Amino acid sequence: MYFTDRGIEELVQRRGEETVTLEWLGEQLRTFVDLHPEFETPIERLATWLARDDEDED
């Protein structure tokens, strides 16, 4: 198990029943980066990966 899995597991346990929009998620990510600018690059990579997840990879 990766260290980040604990945070993911906590997220699922605490909020797994909730429905969220991508707009809400985007706002949460912006707020996180505002508070923790050192994580700008990984958050940008995650957002890009989520946005392109359904594209075919050639």
Side-chain angles (χ1 to χ4, degrees), residues 11-58:
L11 174 63
V12 171
Q13 287 176 351
R14 288 178 178 240
R15 298 194 165 218
E17 299 297 319
E18 294 180 24
T19 300
V20 299
T21 65
L22 292 177
E23 183 176 359
W24 177 88
L25 178 60
E27 288 301 317
Q28 294 300 106
L29 292 173
R30 283 185 192 99
T31 299
F32 181 83
V33 170
D34 288 346
L35 295 171
H36 307 281
E38 66 273 18
F39 290 104
E40 181 178 5
T41 299
I43 294 297
E44 179 66 23
R45 288 180 182 167
L46 173 62
T48 301
W49 180 79
L50 290 171
R52 299 176 183 172
D53 187 45
D54 60 348
E55 291 183 357
D56 291 332
E57 293 183 24
D58 293 327

